[in-house]
Amino acid sequence: MTYPLLLALWLAPLASAVICWAFGPQLRTRSGWLASGFVALSFALAVASWPAGTQSAGGALGAHQRLFSWGPGFDFGLLLDPLSLLWTYIITGVGFLIVFYSIGYMDGDRAFARFFAYMSFFVFAMLTLVLSDNFVGLLVGWGLVGLASYFLIGFWFDRPSAVAAARKAFVINVVGDVGVMFAIALIVANVHSIGFSDTFAGAATFSSGLLFAICLALFIGAAAKSAQVPLHTWLPDAMEGPTPVSALIHAATMVTAGVYLVARCAPLWSRNPEAQLLVGTIGGLTALLGAILGTAQWDIKRILAYSTMSQIGYMIMGVGVGAYEGGVAHFFTHAFFKAQLFLTSGLIIHALSDEQDIRRMGGLWKRMPFAFWAMLTGVLSICGFPGFSGFFSKDEVIYGALQHGHPWLYAVGILTAGITAYYMFRLLFITFLGEYRGEAGTPHGHAPAWIMNAPVAILVVPSVAIGAALMIGGDSSPWARFFAPLFAPQALLAPSPAATPPLSEGLTSVIVLICVAVGFAVAWYRYATPVAQADAVERLRSETAHMPPVLTNLFYVDAAIDLIFVQSAQFLGTISGRVVDPAVLDGAVREAAFSAGWLGAVVRSFQTGLVRAYALLLVAGAAGFIVYYALAGTAH
């Protein structure tokens, strides 16, 4: 069915971005309220679109709005089905809370209006990505999201570190863009269409090699956008942007684009077990690596960044092995508790005059009780404490790996859960317990506290309850019924292994909970006991000094990328600049000019200006012709 309201839902944030950009000096602080209002309008329209997005008519699921066509197979439009509807709710709903929070956080910034123009543009770009009904439209949104993230990460462009982080994120994401473009080229060459429906319908005719190549190219894009190994290094550096940017990009939206892409292309992955194994393996390794690196960080935002990397790994692992509902469920719950964690860290950073090193914090539960309880609920949720939302979605992913015949990914998921509990409670204990270890600073006091506290308080509710509300009930739960029309057919394409999983889902939850309890206990022993608190400063200093080099150097991934790609590119550039360009290219131009001048001088030497010389030349030429033809006639 057509649904014109989709246009308003899609374009409202773009209108906000244009207005804030064009009239920022006049709007000033009102630009924050304007941007919040337009994003809230998109969310309201998304809520009103629930019936249209979930109904099935004429064999088609959801609502569709055609925009224009370039020819047969090249139609551009918007699609609202259960998958894009869910992402739209997060982009606009959680996005609204973050934009509203930014009014307080960015108060007093000299580029206040420009910030909200960028934030609105980012929301529009994400909506373009998830609402497009074709691969080219998705690619346009994909690129616009990368551009918007470049603007936001490097928002404070007077900081060299922020500029470097923005450039790094942009370049790595362009690598992913190339992968998606290559996949589109293969699809167009074989299907002669860019539409999702045409591509998925034609997938049954693809050879195994072609299907794997398409999936691999698409996953390169997903890995870059969702910070999967080895394209993950931009994510922690992106913490140079303002904290609301971290919450918007790294919690709810941009880094989950790869999860959306794999879930959207489930008809392709479900037909190729090799592609599924590749994606699931990369997701599992990313989850484990991100968790391990999170144990070695001291910057509060970088800890949360590595936790995001790890949790996105869980999602990629879930949708990769075919547990689509579990992977998407973890995306949904993660959006709430991770946004809550980032915004709570913003409260702390704001109150401590931009301090982000947890070694210089401590004792904040007395000074900031609201932030303590908000952080605690977020930590319990991300660790999968029973009853909290993360408990339901994370266990769904872990058990899904076992159900689909990947026991070692199942083990990786359980191990990662224990490590997650350790470094998240480490963050909580060092930040809030003991005595304050930092310098007395002047907190930012620009805006009323409720503007920043209210979004955090709202996010606490779904962080605690959304999992139980939607996912209890197994195959008959509201979550399963919501996605049954979308993901049930994929289970028929790639059925689960015939063997019954050796462990039940309940026993799996118990094992995960034991690992979480062990992680909590280790963190408590190291950072929260009276003995640990007695000499906390010295203990943290000693831990910093004795941190394994492999962790402080982030497994040398950045160094490897720098050696293989950056330094080699710089070497080729140096050779080109110092040898190829001056000696070959410029030399060829100089030789061409010299040759033309020499040839001209030779030709010019025949021009004497004497009539008798020209006459003699004509006679000689005529004589030559006569002799030639005379000899030719004699020969015949």
Side-chain angles (χ1 to χ4, degrees), residues 39 142 215 295 307 381 392 540 610:
V39 177
W142 204 266
C215 290
T295 64
S307 76
S381 188
F392 298 94
L540 296 177
L610 299 176

Side-chain angles (χ1 to χ4, degrees), residues 238-500:
M239 296 299 105
E240 292 291 338
T243 300
V245 172
S246 303
L248 186 64
I249 292 178
H250 310 117
T253 54
M254 176 177 167
V255 290
T256 63
V259 183
Y260 172 81
L261 180 59
V262 178
R264 172 58 71 193
C265 297
L268 302 181
W269 261 274
S270 296
R271 296 179 183 275
N272 196 285
E274 293 81 8
Q276 285 189 315
L277 179 61
L278 172 66
V279 175
T281 301
I282 295 296
L285 291 176
T286 302
L288 181 60
L289 181 68
I292 293 173
L293 290 176
T295 64
Q297 304 303 309
W298 299 110
D299 184 302
I300 188 171
K301 288 172 63 176
R302 281 182 172 265
I303 296 172
L304 296 179
Y306 279 110
S307 76
T308 298
M309 171 184 162
S310 180
Q311 299 304 307
I312 299 294
Y314 269 118
M315 301 174 208
I316 292 290
M317 182 175 74
V319 296
V321 301
Y324 298 109
E325 290 182 8
V328 173
H330 199 52
F331 148 75
F332 189 60
T333 61
H334 175 267
F336 296 109
F337 62 68
K338 184 51 65 65
Q340 176 189 336
L341 288 168
F342 265 114
L343 296 187
T344 303
S345 73
L347 296 178
I348 297 169
I349 295 168
H350 212 61
L352 301 182
S353 302
D354 297 326
E355 179 60 71
Q356 295 182 194
D357 191 330
I358 60 174
R359 291 170 295 187
R360 292 195 283 268
M361 297 181 188
L364 296 183
W365 74 273
K366 301 175 183 177
R367 183 172 173 179
M368 305 180 66
F370 174 76
F372 169 73
W373 290 108
M375 184 70 77
L376 176 60
T377 55
V379 168
L380 290 173
S381 188
I382 194 174
C383 292
F385 191 81
F388 287 75
S389 60
F391 168 79
F392 298 94
S393 59
K394 184 183 291 186
D395 284 13
E396 189 92 3
V397 171
I398 294 173
Y399 190 66
L402 186 63
Q403 280 184 310
H404 289 81
H406 302 282
W408 78 272
L409 289 178
Y410 171 80
V412 166
I414 293 176
L415 175 62
T416 302
I419 300 173
T420 300
Y422 167 73
Y423 74 79
M424 289 305 299
F425 277 105
R426 168 182 180 265
L427 164 66
L428 184 76
F429 295 151
I430 295 176
T431 303
F432 288 99
L433 300 186
E435 300 296 328
Y436 184 62
R437 297 178 296 274
E439 299 178 1
T442 303
H444 298 290
H446 306 308
W450 71 270
I451 292 180
M452 295 171 64
N453 289 344
V456 177
I458 293 172
L459 286 167
V460 168
V461 177
S463 295
V464 174
I466 197 70
L470 293 180
M471 296 167 201
I472 288 181
D475 293 338
S476 61
S477 67
W479 187 263
R481 294 197 304 270
F482 181 68
F483 281 109
L486 199 63
F487 292 139
Q490 313 316 319
L492 299 178
L493 296 176
S496 301
T500 303

Side-chain angles (χ1 to χ4, degrees), residues 163-210:
V163 174
R167 183 169 57 246
K168 183 177 183 180
F170 186 79
V171 170
I172 292 180
N173 276 274
V174 167
V175 173
D177 297 348
V178 173
V180 177
M181 285 189 284
F182 183 74
I184 293 174
L186 291 176
I187 289 170
V188 171
N190 289 274
V191 183
H192 309 294
S193 173
I194 59 173
F196 290 147
S197 57
D198 293 337
T199 302
F200 300 154
T205 65
F206 293 169
S207 67
S208 177
L210 173 62

